[in-house]
Each structure stands twice: as structure tokens, then as C-alpha cells.
Amino acid sequence: MKKIQNMGSETENIMDRISIVLASDYQYLVFAYITIFSVLKNRKRPYYVEFYIMLPEKTRVLNYNQNWEFDRYEINYIEIPEYCFSGHALSIEHTAKPTYYRLMIPDILQNVNKCLYLDADILVCNDLWELYNFDISQIDLMAGLGVDIHYSEDHIRKLADYLQIDSAEKYFNAGVLVMNLEKMRAENMVETFLECSKKGWTCQDQDVLNICCYGRTEIFPMKYNVYSIAYGCEEEILKARFSVKEIEEGLNNPVIIHYAMGNTKPWYNLRTIRAEDWWKAAKEAIPGQEYRKMREIAEKKTLQSNISDFVPKIELYEKIVIFGCGKTGKKLLEFINKKYAGKVEAFWDNNHEHIGAMYQNIPVRQPEEKTNENVLIVISCQQEVEEIKLQLYELGYEDNDIAVYNSQSFVSWFGTDRQYRKQIIEKIQKHISGDEGKQKMQ
């Protein structure tokens, strides 16, 4: 490991100081700078901040802070050798190898006993002093619970079985961590982390930390890691993991907003909730030319992205048919029945072996021609979606009569700003009421 650059104000002999670590590759480095800017802008006490950015070796570094007017801080780059985690698979779409670097922090920062780790997709909205100064002397780390759209007792039990831990009730998100580096070094935790990480866990380094630090962690309040999607979620989703007081405090006075899920990143999607908060910070943090270039790219990506209309359609349509009676279709029935019992009137399937069967008193039938204006066809199949759509078009169905369910359906909807959601809801309501057809005829 090599510390290759130090930028910012000169180091002062200040007792009050905090160490903040980020991990990035070149693509995410500009986002890391925006996070750092938001930390400094919201600092309310005169403490000194040591920033450490871990990068793959030979990554070209940036110095966007040249014209910042903050003092009492420094930014250090640390090169991580290419061989580190070279054989590790990435199972999460928007991640890169540096996500694993946080597992090495105790050994990389030998002279630092405590640090905050921050992902580069967060926006700091308030002072971090209180978060940093939680007492973690008897534990390995503190972290926050994530928003889990699919939270249930069954889900938590299966997650605990998968991770081979007693309970996953306090399974935490690893995007914001208060780390006891001194204790971790004493316990030789880096070696434990690295060995565990070789097993290729679904949530990568986050699973590793939840496994290896199990029983030696505490959960901080929601306000220190507020998922942006929390602002669009239904209340019962949040109440499954947080108290009413936490929710109110977190949403109204967040310390950190975390754009944690793939299509909620503001630089990918201008329609995401709280996107403009992030873009406001970006405009102040980076040079104008770089800002304009990044904004143009985001505008193009936004136009190319679709907002899933699955959630409003299952609420607004009177009857639902699930296309696909496989594992996903059956899970979808369970979800719909929890909130809209009685809406699902049939399964459709192209597999003749399934035709005529019953599942939970719901018949499995062949696809049928359209006869009812208020029936929604939900495609649960994860493959051949376009082929199924063509089949439905031939049966008289239009796009408004069809919804596609996949792993991103809820994130896409709940992560979208309400003004755009309102437009989609109004369009669906027009189609169901027949107003859309009347307008076309006119």
C-alpha cells in the first residue's frame, strides 16, 4: 500500500480530528469528491478532517478541491495493489472491486484507531461529529439498517441460514460504518475478512462484515444512513425496520442521504428522489465544465431509462392475471395477496403441463384474448419478456394492460420522485376509465 498524495489545508496541531475513508475507482472519484465536499460544507465544529481515498494502483488522481474555501482538512490517496481481490466476483451490478477495500482498512491505516467509512454515493446533510463520537470501544463497528422492501420473517430467517448466523434481524448496510480499527487489528480481523470474502457471497463485502462481526456490532439511528428510496416508500415498509420516531427524525432531519440502489443514483437518473439535493452539491463541488458534462450524460441516461409502473397498476386495476406459474409467479401471488387479497383471478402459462392445475385456489390457464378493460396482465417470467409481450399484443392487449415484475420493480417506483409518479398514475387512471380511448377517437 502506498500513500501517494496529500491535498488540502496544512495539518494543524488540533486535538479534535476525525478520519474518514472512502473507496473508489477513477469512474467514481468525482462522486467521492462530492461526498467529501458535503462533509466539509456541513461541518459545524472546528475539528480537523483526514480523508483517505483508497484507489486501485496507477489510477489517475483528481484535485477538484483546489478552489474550495474550506480549511482544516486533508485528502490522502492510498493505492491498493492490483492483485488484491483480483479473483473476487462482483454479483451486484453497480459495484466495482474497490467495494472490497473497506475490509482492509484496519491494516492499511495502522496509525488510525477509529474511522468513519463512507460510500461515494452518499450526500452528507449535517455535521458528522456526533456520529463519529459514538462509543464503540467494546465493539467492532456501528452501522445502520437498510430499507428492505421485501422484509419479512421468512426472508430474515432465510438470510440468517444463508449467512450461517443466528439471526439476521440486525443485518446492516455497509455504506456508512463507524469502525474500531484498533480492536479489529488486535483481533486480526483483516485476515478473517479476507478468508471469508473468498466464498463469493451475494452481497459481497457487506455479507462478509455481517458474518465476521456478528455479535460485535451496534445499530445507529436511521438518520445516519437514510436511503433515498425511504422518501418514496410506503410507511409499512419503513416501520418493519425502524421506529416511528426514527422514521420521522430520519426523513425530516437526515445526517446522511444514501443513494444506495442502482437506479436511484442521481448521476444515472435525474428523476430519482432527492436528486436535486445531490446535484446542488455537485455544482458547488466540481468545476463548471465537469458539472455540465456530467449533467448532460445524466439527462441522456434518464431519457433512456423507464420507470416501472408495476406498483401503481396492481393497485389501480380491479383484477390481475399473473403470466407465469413458476417460483417468481407464486412469490408474486403471495405479495399481492398481502395487500390486495382476491385481485388475482388466474395464472397464465405457456407450459401445457401446468394448464388445468390449481395453486392456492387460483387456476392455471392458457393465455386468452382480451375481453375485460380492467384486467392487468403481470409478466412474472424473468426471461422471454419481449416474446410474451408480443403474444399479448396479438391477443388484443396494449402496453397499458401489461406490467412487468422483476427485482427492480419496487426500487424503480419507490425511488422515483413523486411528481413523475403522479404523471404515470394519471395516465393509468385515464386508460382504465376509458378517457384515453375517447381522446384517441376525437
Side-chain angles (χ1 to χ4, degrees):
M1 315 301 167
K2 185 169 65 173
K3 188 174 175 180
I4 62 172
Q5 197 156 352
N6 180 303
M7 302 183 297
S9 57
E10 293 184 4
T11 306
E12 303 173 37
N13 185 24
I14 299 175
M15 291 297 290
D16 289 345
R17 65 176 61 221
I18 68 176
S19 299
I20 298 178
V21 185
L22 301 94
S24 178
D25 55 12
Y26 181 75
Q27 181 184 353
Y28 256 58
L29 195 50
V30 61
F31 311 137
Y33 265 91
I34 294 166
T35 296
I36 290 171
F37 178 89
S38 69
V39 172
L40 295 172
K41 183 168 184 178
N42 289 282
R43 179 178 52 180
K44 294 182 173 63
R45 293 168 54 103
Y47 54 85
Y48 193 87
V49 189
E50 301 169 327
F51 292 100
Y52 297 91
I53 304 178
M54 301 179 292
L55 291 166
E57 62 180 342
K58 300 179 182 178
T59 299
R60 182 161 66 91
V61 299
L62 303 171
N63 56 352
Y64 286 140
N65 65 315
Q66 278 185 327
N67 297 319
W68 293 356
E69 296 181 355
F70 307 115
D71 59 5
R72 303 184 308 279
Y73 79 96
E74 63 185 70
I75 299 175
N76 304 290
Y77 285 107
I78 298 176
E79 285 190 334
I80 306 299
E82 192 174 336
Y83 62 79
C84 292
F85 306 107
S86 60
H88 286 58
L90 293 169
S91 54
I92 302 175
E93 186 178 349
H94 60 273
T95 58
K97 283 294 192 300
T99 189
Y100 283 102
Y101 292 172
R102 75 195 81 190
L103 303 179
M104 302 172 66
I105 294 173
D107 285 357
I108 291 172
L109 300 182
Q110 287 285 338
N111 297 321
V112 178
N113 290 332
K114 182 181 186 180
C115 79
L116 283 181
Y117 172 84
L118 303 177
D119 273 350
D121 57 357
I122 71 165
L123 182 70
V124 175
C125 306
N126 218 318
D127 198 296
L128 295 180
W129 181 255
E130 184 181 277
L131 173 62
Y132 182 81
N133 280 285
F134 275 118
D135 181 7
I136 59 168
S137 58
Q138 303 303 310
I139 57 175
D140 288 344
L141 58 83
M142 285 191 81
L145 303 177
V147 174
D148 189 346
I149 293 169
H150 302 290
Y151 184 91
S152 68
E153 290 184 7
D154 183 58
H155 172 69
I156 290 300
R157 185 176 64 254
K158 288 178 179 177
L159 179 59
D161 290 344
Y162 171 68
L163 299 176
Q164 299 173 24
I165 56 179
D166 291 339
S167 171
E169 283 288 343
K170 293 185 178 180
Y171 181 90
F172 56 81
N173 171 262
V176 181
L177 302 170
V178 190
M179 303 178 72
N180 186 341
L181 305 184
E182 184 178 27
K183 187 171 184 292
M184 288 182 176
R185 281 193 291 270
E187 296 168 343
N188 201 23
M189 289 302 292
V190 171
E191 184 176 332
T192 303
F193 294 155
L194 297 183
E195 185 61 32
C196 182
S197 70
K198 295 176 183 177
K199 297 181 181 179
W201 301 97
T202 301
C203 288
Q204 303 169 170
D205 50 292
Q206 181 168 286
D207 282 349
V208 172
L209 289 168
N210 273 275
I211 294 166
C212 297
C213 297
Y214 183 76
R216 302 192 301 279
T217 65
E218 289 184 10
I219 302 300
F220 51 58
M222 176 186 172
K223 68 178 180 178
Y224 296 111
N225 188 357
V226 180
Y227 278 27
S228 61
I229 198 174
Y231 289 93
C233 276
E234 296 169 346
E235 194 173 72
E236 60 263 30
I237 293 175
L238 299 180
K239 285 181 177 179
R241 302 217 82 189
F242 307 101
S243 68
V244 173
K245 182 181 178 182
E246 271 189 286
I247 295 168
E248 184 178 342
E249 185 179 26
L251 297 182
N252 294 329
N253 191 28
V255 175
I256 289 172
I257 295 176
H258 190 180
Y259 302 91
M261 299 179 180
N263 57 359
T264 66
K265 313 290 185 194
W267 53 90
Y268 291 150
N269 186 358
L270 296 175
R271 295 179 297 205
T272 194
I273 292 181
R274 304 296 296 257
E276 286 308 314
D277 298 86
W278 185 89
W279 281 102
K280 183 180 178 181
K283 193 171 186 178
E284 294 183 78
I286 61 178
Q289 185 177 355
E290 183 68 25
Y291 172 86
R292 287 188 292 274
K293 179 182 175 183
M294 194 163 65
R295 185 85 184 191
E296 287 173 7
I297 293 171
E299 287 171 356
K300 289 178 182 177
K301 288 185 175 181
T302 300
L303 290 173
Q304 293 167 0
S305 66
N306 294 316
I307 302 169
S308 172
D309 55 10
F310 165 78
V311 173
K313 279 184 173 178
I314 62 171
E315 179 175 345
L316 293 171
Y317 275 77
E318 289 181 3
K319 294 295 181 181
I320 297 170
V321 171
I322 299 175
F323 200 122
C325 191
K327 184 178 179 181
T328 304
K330 290 172 181 176
K331 281 187 176 180
L332 181 56
L333 173 67
E334 182 182 345
F335 167 78
I336 294 174
N337 279 344
K338 282 181 181 177
K339 193 169 184 181
Y340 309 107
K343 274 199 174 188
V344 177
E345 63 176 22
F347 284 100
W348 284 357
D349 207 291
N350 285 328
N351 186 335
H352 293 289
E353 293 181 3
H354 294 163
I355 307 303
M358 298 285 288
Y359 180 76
Q360 293 188 8
N361 295 320
I362 305 292
V364 183
R365 301 200 295 252
Q366 296 182 74
E368 302 166 0
E369 288 188 358
K370 180 177 177 179
T371 57
N372 190 327
E373 290 294 335
N374 208 338
V375 174
L376 174 68
I377 314 301
V378 181
I379 301 174
S380 69
C381 309
Q382 303 302 289
Q383 297 176 343
E384 301 179 348
V385 172
E386 294 306 315
E387 289 86 344
I388 292 172
K389 280 187 176 181
L390 289 173
Q391 182 182 358
L392 292 172
Y393 296 155
E394 290 176 0
L395 292 170
Y397 295 91
E398 303 173 19
D399 283 324
N400 283 322
D401 305 311
I402 303 167
V404 178
Y405 170 74
N406 58 43
S407 61
Q408 291 300 309
S409 295
F410 293 100
V411 175
S412 174
W413 180 253
F414 293 133
T416 298
D417 192 276
R418 293 182 187 276
Q419 63 175 310
Y420 303 108
R421 287 160 55 169
K422 183 180 178 183
Q423 294 170 11
I424 293 170
I425 290 170
E426 288 174 351
K427 183 180 177 182
I428 297 168
Q429 288 173 329
K430 273 187 178 182
H431 176 74
I432 293 172
S433 67
D435 289 349
E436 188 179 69
K438 291 173 187 175
Q439 290 174 4
K440 283 181 182 178
M441 290 175 69
Q442 292 171 358

